[in-house]
Amino acid sequence: MKLKEEVNKVIQTAFQKTGIDAQPINVSEATKPEFGDYQFNGAMALSKELRKNPREIASGILENLDLSGIVSKAEIAGPGFINLWLNDNVIAEKCREAREDKRLGVSKKSAPIKVVVDYSGPNMAKQMHVGHLRSTIIGDTLSNLLEFLGDEVIRQNHIGDWGTQFGMLIAYLEERGEDGSGSLKDLEQFYKDAKKRFDEDEAFADKAREYVVKIQGGDEHCLNLWQKFIDISLGHCEEVYDKLCVRLTREDVKAESFYNEDLPEVVADLAEEGRLKESEGAQCVFFEDEEIPVIVQKGDGGYLYATTDLAALRYRANILGAKRISYVVDARQGEHFRQIFKVAKMSGFVPEDVKLEHVAFGTMMDKGGKPFKTRDGGTVKLIDLLDEAVVKAKAAIKEKDDYSEEEVERLAKIIGIGAVKYADLSINRESNYIFNWDKMLSFEGNTSLYMQYAYARIQSIFRRYRGEIKGSVVITDVLEHRLGVMLLRFEEVLDRAAEDAAPNQITTYLYELVTLFMRFYEQNPILKEGVDEEVKLSRLVLADMTAKTIKQGLDILGIDVVDKL
RNA sequence: GCACUCGUAGCUCAGCUGGAUAGAGCACCCGCCUUCUAAGCGGGCGGUCUCAGGUUCGAAUCCUGACGGGUGUACCA
C-alpha cells in the first residue's frame, strides 16, 4: 500500500473530471503540519500552459475532489497550493491492517529483479581498516533493503587476493618455515615484516617475484600456501563481519582470482571488436571525448584492476543475470567506474538494459578534517575501532544503571556497534564526514540509541500491560493522526531509499518517527488511569506498530534492538 | 592545467527530481520527574543557505562564472 499513490489517484481523478490533461500527478509530503499531510503544487506549474490563474485551476480541482475516501479535507493556500488532509478513519484502519501484517503493510515489488551488490572488498594482504567500514555497512544495508523489498540480491565480496604482494607474503611464510596458523594472528605485523624483508633484501625480493609467477602458473605447493593464507585472512574478516552484524558470508566471496582465466578473453574480445589500441606499449580502450584511456593490459603483458572489473561486470550481467549492479566503493574511484561502465556498455559486455551504478561514498575524517588515522599516522584497524566502541558503550551503561556483567556485555555490543553503524549510515553517503566518538556515543539526537531507547520504552509498556494487543485504532488527536500517517509512509521511504541507494533516508525517517512518537507518548497516556479502554487499546496498537517499524528499519540497517535498556 | 565533488546556525549535519516563514542535534539560557524508562519532553537564543549573475510566477535546490576546501588525473587496487 503506497499512501502517496493513493493520494495521487484522488487528484488524478479530480483532474479528469475537470477535463484538464495533466502530466503525471505527484503530491509531496506537506512541509509543515499546518499545511496538512500532503500537498499538491501542480496548479502553479500548469498556470502558464493553461493561461489561467493558478488559484482558479486549484479551485477547479477542489470542486471535483472526492473527499469521501482517503482525502477528507483540502484547502487552497498561497499562490495555488492545494493542501490535503487524510481521513482519520482511513488512516486508523490502514494502521491496524499494517500492524497485523508481517511486512508492516510494505508490499513486495511486483517486478523484482536480480541485483548484484558489490561491497566490502577487503585486501587479503592486510587487516581491514576504517576505510572498509563504509563500503561494508552501506553495501549491507542496500542489500538488506532490496531484499526486503523483494529483489533477488546477490552479494559479492570482491576480495583482493591476487597480486604481487602475495608472492612476498608466501616467500616470508616459507622463510619462517611455518604453516602460517601461528604467525598470521597479527596480519598487519606479518605484512609489515614481510614488506621490510622485501625492501631490504634483494634475494628475498627476487624469491617473492618467483612465487608470484609460480602462483599464477598454478604451482600446487604455492597455491596451497596461498590458499591457506587466504583462509586465515578471510577468517579475520569474518570476525569483523560478525562483530559488525553484517550478513556477508563465505558464499558471497568472489575473489579477484576468480576472474583470472577470463582476463585474456576480455582483452581478446575487445581486440576482436577493434576497440583496442596500443599506446606506449599498453593495450588501451580510448574514448572519443576523453583523453585518458582505460588500460586493459600493461606493457609487460600483465592485467589490471580495470581488466578484472570488466570480467566481473560481464560475469555479473551475463552469468548471474543481474539487471542492476551496484558498486559500493569510495567516491575517489568515480572516474574508474565511469570509464569501465562505458567500456562495458559499448563493447556489449553488459546489455543496455542493465543498470550500472557506482554507489559512491565520502571519506571518514578526523576532528581536524584530515583523513582518519592513528596518532602515529597509521590506518586505524576496523576491529580496534569496533572494540573501542563496545568499551565506550560499556562505560556509558555502567554509569547509568546497574546491570549484571553478562547484561552489560550484551547491551554494550548492541549499543556500541549500533552507534558506529548508525552514525555512518545517517550521513548522506556522498559527503565526507567527521568521525567523532563523543558525538557518536553521546546518544542524543539522531542516534541509534535514541531509537533503541524508544523501542525499549515501548516494550516496557507491554510488559506492564501483559494483555494481548489487539483492536482497532481510533484517532483522537492531531499527534495520533500524524503518527499514523508517518507510520504508513514507511513503504514510500524504503522505496525511495532503495532507488537512491541512500541509507540516510531511512535514518531520517526513523528519527522523525521516533521524535513524533516521543511527543505522542508524552502527551497521550496509555496505561494511566482514566484512559478509555478503546483508546488504550488503540494507543497500544499504535505503540506496537511504532516499535515494529523501528525494529524493521534498524534491521535493514543491520542494527539490533533491545527490550530493556 | 583539466575533470569531479563539497561550501547551509558557534560546532556536527538534514533538506537538493524547484514550492509557502530554510530544519535537527550539540553548545548556551529557561521550564517539566510522588503517575507508562528524564539516555525523555516543551520553550528560548542562533542563518544575507560562500559570492555574483541567469532561468522561473517561485531558487539553498537548476544553469554560468568567481572564491575557498577535498579528490582524481594511463600501465597500483
Side-chain angles (χ1 to χ4, degrees):
Chain A
M1 161 216 7
K2 295 183 178 32
L3 212 49
K4 198 186 263 186
E5 274 178 23
E6 288 190 43
V7 179
N8 280 340
K9 259 182 218 159
V10 175
I11 301 278
Q12 182 91 52
T13 308
F15 262 110
Q16 279 162 3
K17 283 189 190 161
T18 321
I20 300 172
D21 177 31
Q23 294 306 303
I25 303 294
N26 209 352
V27 297
S28 48
E29 293 88 53
T31 50
K32 289 184 177 190
E34 54 274 33
F35 298 151
D37 298 309
Y38 283 90
Q39 57 178 262
F40 177 70
N41 307 326
M44 275 92 73
L46 280 167
S47 110
K48 194 169 200 179
E49 193 185 320
L50 301 173
R51 281 195 278 169
K52 261 182 162 178
N53 180 313
R55 285 190 71 105
E56 231 175 274
I57 298 168
S59 70
I61 295 161
L62 224 56
E63 277 167 31
N64 290 291
L65 206 60
D66 175 14
L67 295 178
S68 66
I70 187 161
V71 176
S72 63
K73 185 179 144 195
E75 274 176 7
I76 301 175
F81 296 101
I82 300 177
N83 294 333
L84 304 159
W85 281 261
L86 304 188
N87 181 292
D88 276 348
N89 297 328
V90 175
I91 294 301
E93 180 54 17
K94 281 181 184 295
C95 281
R96 187 194 61 77
E97 276 174 22
R99 191 195 70 98
E100 287 168 13
D101 175 26
K102 270 188 200 145
R103 297 181 53 81
L104 304 175
V106 178
S107 48
K108 283 207 174 192
K109 273 191 194 172
S110 53
I113 54 169
K114 270 194 193 173
V115 185
V116 161
V117 182
D118 178 310
Y119 67 105
S120 197
N123 191 324
M124 289 297 107
K126 296 179 187 174
Q127 275 274 29
M128 287 179 80
H129 54 85
V130 287
H132 293 107
L133 177 67
R134 305 203 75 185
S135 173
T136 304
I137 65 180
I138 293 170
D140 202 52
T141 296
L142 180 60
S143 303
N144 294 341
L145 175 59
L146 293 173
E147 229 157 45
F148 182 67
L149 293 176
D151 283 333
E152 184 185 334
V153 175
I154 305 170
R155 294 160 199 248
Q156 294 278 277
N157 192 359
H158 190 80
I159 62 169
D161 68 342
W162 211 237
T164 46
Q165 68 269 48
F166 291 96
M168 175 181 93
L169 292 166
I170 288 170
Y172 191 57
L173 205 59
E174 276 280 271
E175 189 177 84
R176 302 233 310 215
E178 298 178 48
D179 67 351
S181 39
S183 52
L184 285 185
K185 275 201 177 113
D186 190 345
L187 263 182
E188 202 67 10
Q189 196 54 47
F190 188 84
Y191 181 83
K192 273 185 197 157
D193 293 345
K195 183 86 168 65
K196 204 174 164 198
R197 290 282 292 128
F198 187 84
D199 291 340
E200 285 172 358
D201 187 336
E202 197 54 43
F204 178 84
D206 284 341
K207 196 157 191 193
R209 286 188 203 102
E210 258 172 53
Y211 275 117
V212 176
V213 178
K214 276 189 177 176
I215 304 169
Q216 302 198 336
D219 177 273
E220 203 173 321
H221 175 65
C222 284
L223 274 181
N224 279 342
L225 279 178
W226 170 79
Q227 187 59 52
K228 180 159 243 159
F229 185 82
I230 300 300
D231 281 345
I232 293 170
S233 191
L234 209 48
H236 285 275
C237 294
E238 278 164 348
E239 203 182 314
V240 172
Y241 293 152
D242 193 48
K243 276 210 167 113
L244 265 180
C245 301
V246 156
R247 290 160 211 184
L248 268 177
T249 69
R250 218 162 260 231
E251 259 108 80
D252 304 316
V253 171
K254 197 70 83 184
E256 270 177 17
S257 60
F258 174 80
Y259 302 100
N260 197 39
E261 284 174 19
D262 195 37
L263 301 183
E265 300 290 322
V266 167
V267 174
D269 290 346
L270 286 171
E272 198 174 313
E273 283 186 47
R275 297 197 186 275
L276 290 189
K277 203 174 146 189
E278 193 182 310
S279 172
E280 295 169 39
Q283 292 299 320
C284 310
V285 179
F286 279 90
F287 304 101
E288 282 180 3
D289 50 350
E290 294 184 49
E291 269 187 40
I292 296 175
V294 170
I295 301 180
V296 293
Q297 189 169 23
K298 296 197 275 189
D300 66 3
Y303 302 104
L304 297 108
Y305 181 38
T307 327
T308 311
D309 267 339
L310 284 170
L313 270 170
R314 182 149 89 162
Y315 173 79
R316 291 163 181 184
N318 301 326
I319 310 292
L320 297 179
K323 287 294 170 213
R324 175 178 176 180
I325 305 177
S326 305
Y327 284 84
V328 187
V329 181
D330 193 299
R332 282 175 287 199
Q333 292 187 38
E335 180 117 326
H336 165 75
F337 283 109
R338 197 179 48 72
Q339 287 195 324
I340 64 154
F341 289 169
K342 213 158 143 184
V343 174
K345 282 280 166 90
M346 68 190 202
S347 63
F349 281 10
V350 171
E352 257 325 299
D353 66 335
V354 175
K355 180 180 176 186
L356 301 179
E357 65 178 345
H358 175 204
V359 179
F361 54 83
T363 313
M364 191 191 274
M365 307 294 215
D366 64 16
K367 276 183 195 164
K370 302 249 165 60
F372 197 70
K373 293 271 167 75
T374 53
R375 267 184 218 93
D376 56 7
T379 50
V380 178
K381 287 187 209 161
L382 191 44
I383 197 108
D384 292 346
L385 180 117
L386 298 179
D387 288 343
E388 190 164 349
V390 174
V391 168
K392 290 195 188 248
K394 211 178 280 180
I397 293 165
K398 279 187 175 158
E399 196 177 291
K400 186 69 194 166
D401 224 326
D402 45 357
Y403 291 98
S404 69
E405 261 327 294
E406 305 92 79
E407 199 61 6
V408 169
E409 207 66 39
R410 193 182 71 88
L411 284 176
K413 269 188 202 159
I414 295 176
I415 291 171
I417 300 296
V420 170
K421 294 179 82 172
Y422 194 95
D424 195 309
L425 293 167
S426 61
I427 303 275
N428 183 324
R429 68 173 159 77
E430 301 202 53
S431 47
N432 294 342
Y433 83 100
I434 309 231
F435 183 89
N436 183 335
W437 280 118
D438 299 336
K439 190 194 159 201
M440 190 175 288
L441 294 171
S442 76
F443 302 135
E444 276 165 354
N446 190 7
T447 62
S448 55
L449 189 81
Y450 184 68
M451 316 292 151
Q452 287 163 334
Y453 177 66
Y455 182 85
R457 279 182 84 168
I458 296 172
Q459 299 314 309
S460 156
I461 302 171
F462 299 153
R463 275 195 296 275
R464 203 171 282 262
Y465 176 67
R466 284 157 194 268
E468 191 190 356
I469 296 160
K470 198 183 167 191
S472 45
V473 175
V474 277
I475 287 173
T476 63
D477 80 341
V478 68
L479 273 178
E480 268 173 342
H481 174 94
R482 286 179 58 198
L483 181 61
V485 173
M486 184 64 91
L487 286 166
L488 295 171
R489 278 189 44 218
F490 192 42
E491 177 168 14
E492 62 199 46
V493 169
L494 294 183
D495 280 346
R496 178 78 190 275
E499 174 76 23
D500 298 346
N504 77 309
Q505 291 178 14
I506 301 175
T507 61
T508 300
Y509 167 79
L510 288 177
Y511 183 56
E512 280 171 12
L513 171 67
V514 170
T515 305
L516 201 52
F517 177 79
M518 287 292 197
R519 290 180 56 195
F520 157 79
Y521 179 70
E522 206 67 38
Q523 290 182 31
N524 302 41
I526 298 177
L527 299 181
K528 291 183 183 175
E529 267 178 49
V531 180
D532 179 81
E533 192 61 21
E534 193 192 20
V535 172
K536 181 197 282 182
L537 282 170
S538 159
R539 287 180 181 165
L540 282 166
V541 168
L542 280 176
D544 188 39
M545 175 71 180
T546 303
K548 289 192 158 104
T549 305
I550 294 170
K551 189 175 159 111
Q552 181 60 61
L554 288 180
D555 186 64
I556 287 170
L557 303 174
I559 297 172
D560 280 333
V561 290
V562 291
D563 288 338
K564 211 175 155 193
L565 204 70

Short mmCIF file of all heavy atoms in Angstrom, two decimals, chain A residues 243 382-392 417 437:
data_model
loop_
_atom_site.label_atom_id
_atom_site.label_comp_id
_atom_site.label_asym_id
_atom_site.label_seq_id
_atom_site.Cartn_x
_atom_site.Cartn_y
_atom_site.Cartn_z
N LYS A 243 31.25 -9.14 14.19
CA LYS A 243 31.11 -8.03 15.15
C LYS A 243 30.19 -6.96 14.63
O LYS A 243 29.43 -6.33 15.35
CB LYS A 243 32.49 -7.41 15.43
CG LYS A 243 33.25 -8.16 16.49
CD LYS A 243 34.18 -7.26 17.27
CE LYS A 243 34.66 -8.01 18.51
NZ LYS A 243 36.07 -8.32 18.50
N LEU A 382 39.92 -1.71 11.76
CA LEU A 382 38.47 -1.71 11.98
C LEU A 382 38.10 -2.44 13.26
O LEU A 382 37.25 -2.00 14.03
CB LEU A 382 37.79 -2.34 10.76
CG LEU A 382 36.28 -2.22 10.66
CD1 LEU A 382 35.80 -0.81 11.00
CD2 LEU A 382 35.83 -2.58 9.25
N ILE A 383 38.78 -3.53 13.50
CA ILE A 383 38.46 -4.33 14.68
C ILE A 383 38.72 -3.53 15.97
O ILE A 383 37.96 -3.60 16.92
CB ILE A 383 39.23 -5.68 14.66
CG1 ILE A 383 38.60 -6.68 15.63
CG2 ILE A 383 40.70 -5.51 14.99
CD1 ILE A 383 37.88 -7.79 14.94
N ASP A 384 39.78 -2.72 15.95
CA ASP A 384 40.09 -1.90 17.12
C ASP A 384 39.03 -0.84 17.35
O ASP A 384 38.62 -0.56 18.46
CB ASP A 384 41.45 -1.21 16.94
CG ASP A 384 42.60 -2.20 16.97
OD1 ASP A 384 42.36 -3.36 17.39
OD2 ASP A 384 43.71 -1.84 16.55
N LEU A 385 38.58 -0.28 16.25
CA LEU A 385 37.55 0.75 16.34
C LEU A 385 36.26 0.16 16.93
O LEU A 385 35.63 0.76 17.80
CB LEU A 385 37.28 1.32 14.95
CG LEU A 385 36.21 2.40 14.91
CD1 LEU A 385 36.81 3.71 14.45
CD2 LEU A 385 35.08 2.04 13.99
N LEU A 386 35.90 -1.02 16.48
CA LEU A 386 34.68 -1.65 16.97
C LEU A 386 34.81 -2.04 18.43
O LEU A 386 33.89 -1.83 19.22
CB LEU A 386 34.36 -2.89 16.12
CG LEU A 386 34.10 -2.60 14.65
CD1 LEU A 386 33.82 -3.89 13.90
CD2 LEU A 386 32.97 -1.62 14.45
N ASP A 387 35.98 -2.55 18.79
CA ASP A 387 36.20 -2.92 20.19
C ASP A 387 36.11 -1.69 21.09
O ASP A 387 35.55 -1.74 22.17
CB ASP A 387 37.55 -3.61 20.36
CG ASP A 387 37.54 -5.02 19.76
OD1 ASP A 387 36.43 -5.55 19.54
OD2 ASP A 387 38.62 -5.57 19.50
N GLU A 388 36.67 -0.61 20.60
CA GLU A 388 36.63 0.61 21.40
C GLU A 388 35.19 1.10 21.58
O GLU A 388 34.81 1.59 22.63
CB GLU A 388 37.49 1.70 20.75
CG GLU A 388 37.66 2.88 21.67
CD GLU A 388 38.80 3.80 21.25
OE1 GLU A 388 39.59 3.41 20.36
OE2 GLU A 388 38.89 4.89 21.82
N ALA A 389 34.42 0.95 20.52
CA ALA A 389 33.01 1.37 20.60
C ALA A 389 32.30 0.59 21.69
O ALA A 389 31.51 1.16 22.47
CB ALA A 389 32.32 1.15 19.26
N VAL A 390 32.59 -0.69 21.77
CA VAL A 390 31.95 -1.53 22.79
C VAL A 390 32.41 -1.12 24.19
O VAL A 390 31.61 -1.02 25.12
CB VAL A 390 32.23 -3.03 22.51
CG1 VAL A 390 31.68 -3.89 23.64
CG2 VAL A 390 31.63 -3.44 21.18
N VAL A 391 33.70 -0.86 24.32
CA VAL A 391 34.24 -0.44 25.62
C VAL A 391 33.57 0.86 26.07
O VAL A 391 33.16 1.00 27.22
CB VAL A 391 35.77 -0.25 25.53
CG1 VAL A 391 36.30 0.47 26.76
CG2 VAL A 391 36.45 -1.60 25.37
N LYS A 392 33.45 1.79 25.14
CA LYS A 392 32.84 3.08 25.50
C LYS A 392 31.38 2.92 25.86
O LYS A 392 30.86 3.57 26.76
CB LYS A 392 33.00 4.07 24.34
CG LYS A 392 34.44 4.51 24.18
CD LYS A 392 34.58 5.74 23.31
CE LYS A 392 36.03 6.03 23.01
NZ LYS A 392 36.54 7.25 23.61
N ILE A 417 28.16 -1.08 18.75
CA ILE A 417 28.27 -1.34 17.32
C ILE A 417 27.16 -0.60 16.57
O ILE A 417 27.40 -0.01 15.51
CB ILE A 417 28.17 -2.86 17.04
CG1 ILE A 417 29.29 -3.62 17.76
CG2 ILE A 417 28.19 -3.13 15.54
CD1 ILE A 417 30.69 -3.28 17.31
N TRP A 437 33.94 10.37 18.37
CA TRP A 437 33.46 9.46 19.41
C TRP A 437 32.40 10.10 20.29
O TRP A 437 31.39 9.49 20.60
CB TRP A 437 34.61 9.02 20.31
CG TRP A 437 35.45 7.94 19.76
CD1 TRP A 437 36.78 8.02 19.46
CD2 TRP A 437 35.05 6.61 19.41
NE1 TRP A 437 37.23 6.82 18.97
CE2 TRP A 437 36.18 5.93 18.92
CE3 TRP A 437 33.84 5.92 19.46
CZ2 TRP A 437 36.15 4.61 18.50
CZ3 TRP A 437 33.80 4.60 19.03
CH2 TRP A 437 34.94 3.96 18.56
#
